[in-house]
């Protein structure tokens, strides 16, 4: 799933306000900071955060310095009138243009930049989202991303509807850090997706010998009704619970899903990966019994030889299966939304899972005939 970026405009802050705000934003959920050139005095690069330096008539005298400053990740023209100057200093960096949109002419001017620049920051004078939808429609077949600059806190509180239209990012002013926090929470909520889970009837449950299984350790803490959707085929999978339920002989691992044999798919909200393809720092999805997918970070995948058990289940004419470590402390989600010990799963049991259209190549959905069994 494509993440919506959070851009924070620091350029309106005074020199006295800038250092403390930059220190705060270094540990925030911001992804891009918009800075004046003089504010780079207080900026030490951090890999997670990119910066966009404003360029316009007032920066003409320092254009060469901006061009040579390796801390500048992007160049942002203050307006379409400043594009020529921005092109002189941009080099190989992305070119961004901020457009104030107040009427049809300025709307068309912004739309005409699609395919010509990397990002358009759209600053609308009105709270209506219809012009944004028009911009997105014009840009969708080009490389140009659209970032919406929010007008005020009130607009930030209704931004969830804007996100459904698909902008690449949202920009908020750093003058009120409470606004940054508010938009952060909305962006986080946007990363949650709901999908319908189904009740699968188990038709086969038996040991299948030794093999390698992977534990997926994440950078989150799972809830009691959460886990990951794991399956052996691209037709779907079963909700395997996180290690958040009682264990008599060991401590809980609430960050972990004992996810299954190494050949298995891990189903995300949109993308699907093999367990062994997951790497530290990448993203996957925790899945709740109500079908809510939330984005989680991967910390590591731990592979070990263990006895394995096959669970095969059916929904309608679709059959899915999962191969898990054969131990009672491994849990799967029952059809009633309650965790069930793996060794208690027998033919006739019901489990929660997800059914998808089959057909993947290296985890990517493809339109072709495929039969997996």
């Amino acid at each position: 799933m494509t993440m919506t970026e959070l851009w924070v405009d620091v350029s309106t802050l005074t020199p006295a306000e800038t250092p403390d705000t930059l220190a705060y934003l270094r540990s925030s959920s911001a992804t891009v900071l918009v800075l004046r050139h003089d504010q780079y005095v207080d900026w030490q690069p951090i890999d997670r955060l990119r910066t966009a330096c404003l360029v316009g008539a007032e920066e003409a005298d320092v254009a060469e310095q901006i061009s040579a400053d390796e801390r500048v990740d992007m160049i942002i023209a203050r307006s379409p009138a400043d594009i020529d100057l921005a092109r002189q200093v941009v080099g190989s960096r992305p070119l961004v243009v901020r457009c104030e949109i107040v009427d049809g002419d300025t709307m068309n001017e912004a739309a005409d930049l699609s395919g010509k620049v990397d990002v358009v920051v759209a600053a609308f004078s009105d709270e209506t989202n219809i012009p944004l939808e028009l911009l997105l429609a014009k840009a969708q077949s080009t490389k140009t991303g659209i970032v919406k600059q929010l007008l005020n806190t009130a607009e930030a509180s209704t931004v969830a509807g804007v996100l459904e239209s698909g902008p690449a990012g949202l920009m908020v002013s750093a003058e009120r850090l409470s606004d940054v926090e508010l938009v952060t929470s909305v962006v986080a909520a946007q990363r949650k997706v709901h999908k319908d889970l189904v009740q699968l009837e188990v038709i086969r449950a038996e040991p299948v010998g030794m093999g390698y299984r992977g534990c997926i350790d994440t950078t989150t803490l799972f809830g009691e009704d959460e886990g990951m959707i794991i399956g052996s085929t691209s037709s779907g999978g079963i909700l395997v619970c996180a290690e958040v339920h009682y264990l008599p002989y060991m401590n809980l691992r609430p960050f972990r899903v004992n996810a299954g044999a190494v050949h298995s798919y891990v189903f995300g909200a949109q993308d699907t990966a093999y367990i062994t393809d997951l790497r530290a720092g990448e993203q996957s999805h925790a899945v709740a019994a109500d079908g809510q997918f939330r984005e989680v970070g991967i910390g590591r995948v731990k592979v070990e030889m263990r006895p394995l058990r096959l669970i095969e289940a059916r929904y309608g004419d679709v059959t899915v299966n999962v191969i898990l470590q054969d131990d009672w402390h491994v849990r799967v989600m029952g059809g009633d939304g309650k965790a069930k010990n793996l060794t208690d799963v027998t033919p006739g049991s019901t489990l929660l899972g997800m059914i998808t259209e089959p057909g993947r190549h290296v985890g990517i959905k493809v339109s072709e005939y495929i039969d997996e069994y």
Side-chain angles (χ1 to χ4, degrees):
M1 180 169 56
T2 303
M3 275 192 216
T4 300
E5 292 193 320
L6 177 57
W7 293 42
V8 180
D9 184 3
V10 188
S11 67
T12 58
L13 299 183
T14 66
E17 296 169 327
T18 298
D20 287 345
T21 301
L22 288 180
Y24 167 83
L25 291 172
R26 289 177 71 88
S27 59
S28 74
S29 296
T31 51
V32 178
L33 304 185
V34 177
L35 303 172
R36 303 186 311 268
H37 179 249
D38 64 278
Q39 290 173 312
Y40 278 86
V41 172
D42 297 306
W43 180 248
Q44 295 299 319
I46 177 172
D47 289 342
R48 185 185 60 78
L49 268 172
R50 291 170 293 151
T51 63
C53 185
L54 287 166
V55 171
E58 56 197 271
E59 283 80 32
D61 292 341
V62 293
E64 289 187 9
Q65 295 175 10
I66 294 173
S67 180
D69 196 330
E70 295 182 354
R71 296 172 300 171
V72 176
D73 299 305
M74 293 182 277
I75 298 297
I76 178 167
R78 289 181 177 271
S79 72
D82 299 309
I83 290 180
D84 288 343
L85 178 60
R87 290 192 188 280
Q88 294 176 27
V89 302
V90 70
S92 60
R93 294 171 287 205
L95 176 60
V96 184
V97 181
R98 182 180 180 275
C99 297
E100 289 194 19
I101 300 173
V102 299
D103 55 24
D105 289 341
T106 49
M107 171 70 201
N108 291 333
E109 185 178 34
D112 287 343
L113 291 172
S114 292
K116 301 175 183 177
V117 301
D118 296 287
V119 178
V120 170
V121 174
F124 297 97
S125 60
D126 302 308
E127 294 186 15
T128 175
N129 290 317
I130 293 176
L132 175 61
E133 294 168 2
L134 296 173
L135 265 186
L136 290 168
K138 182 68 180 287
Q140 66 181 352
S141 60
T142 74
K143 67 173 186 176
T144 302
I146 304 297
V147 171
K148 176 168 182 177
Q149 181 172 334
L150 300 175
L151 285 171
N152 49 44
T153 306
E155 191 184 21
S157 66
T158 59
V159 77
V162 177
L163 288 173
E164 293 176 358
S165 300
L170 299 167
M171 183 187 290
V172 62
S173 173
E175 290 183 2
R176 290 176 46 136
L177 294 179
S178 59
D179 289 3
V180 177
E181 290 298 321
L182 177 59
V183 178
T184 295
S185 65
V186 174
V187 170
Q190 181 260 349
R191 294 172 186 165
K192 296 179 181 179
V193 175
H194 182 273
K195 288 182 173 291
D196 290 333
L197 301 187
V198 299
Q199 289 194 15
L200 298 151
E201 180 186 358
V202 176
I203 57 176
R204 186 180 173 196
E206 60 189 47
V208 291
M210 301 295 289
Y212 288 100
R213 70 92 176 96
C215 284
I216 302 174
D217 291 349
T218 71
T219 58
T220 192
L221 297 176
F222 287 88
E224 289 192 357
D225 68 338
E226 287 187 314
M228 289 180 162
I229 300 288
I230 310 296
S232 293
T233 70
S234 57
S235 296
I238 291 168
L239 180 51
V240 180
C241 300
E243 292 191 5
V244 295
H245 302 283
Y246 170 72
L247 297 174
Y249 307 113
M250 63 191 75
N251 293 329
L252 298 181
R253 299 290 186 263
F255 51 81
R256 171 177 295 170
V257 174
N258 191 333
V262 289
H263 71 280
S264 306
Y265 285 124
V266 182
F267 288 84
Q270 292 180 341
D271 300 323
T272 299
Y274 292 113
I275 286 177
T276 49
D277 281 349
L278 295 174
R279 293 291 183 269
E282 295 182 344
Q283 302 296 313
S284 189
H285 285 86
V287 183
D290 65 359
Q292 180 171 270
F293 285 62
R294 67 179 176 93
E295 197 170 64
V296 297
I298 301 299
R300 67 169 176 169
V301 174
K302 186 162 71 86
V303 175
E304 296 163 315
M305 178 74 77
R306 292 291 186 269
L308 301 176
R309 175 175 287 259
L310 168 69
I311 302 295
E312 191 170 80
R314 181 172 53 210
Y315 178 77
D317 60 355
V318 179
T319 299
V320 301
N321 75 72
V322 64
I323 297 178
L324 302 169
Q325 180 178 339
D326 190 4
D327 196 296
W328 74 270
H329 83 266
V330 177
R331 268 80 168 205
V332 288
M333 193 63 72
D336 58 0
K338 296 180 180 179
K340 194 174 184 68
N341 292 339
L342 181 66
T343 50
D344 290 339
V345 176
T346 58
S349 300
T350 59
L351 301 176
L352 282 183
M354 186 174 73
I355 300 301
T356 66
E357 183 180 352
R360 292 184 185 276
H361 179 63
V362 295
I364 301 171
K365 181 73 187 73
V366 293
S367 296
E368 65 178 359
Y369 171 79
I370 185 168
D371 187 12
E372 300 170 286
Y373 51 88

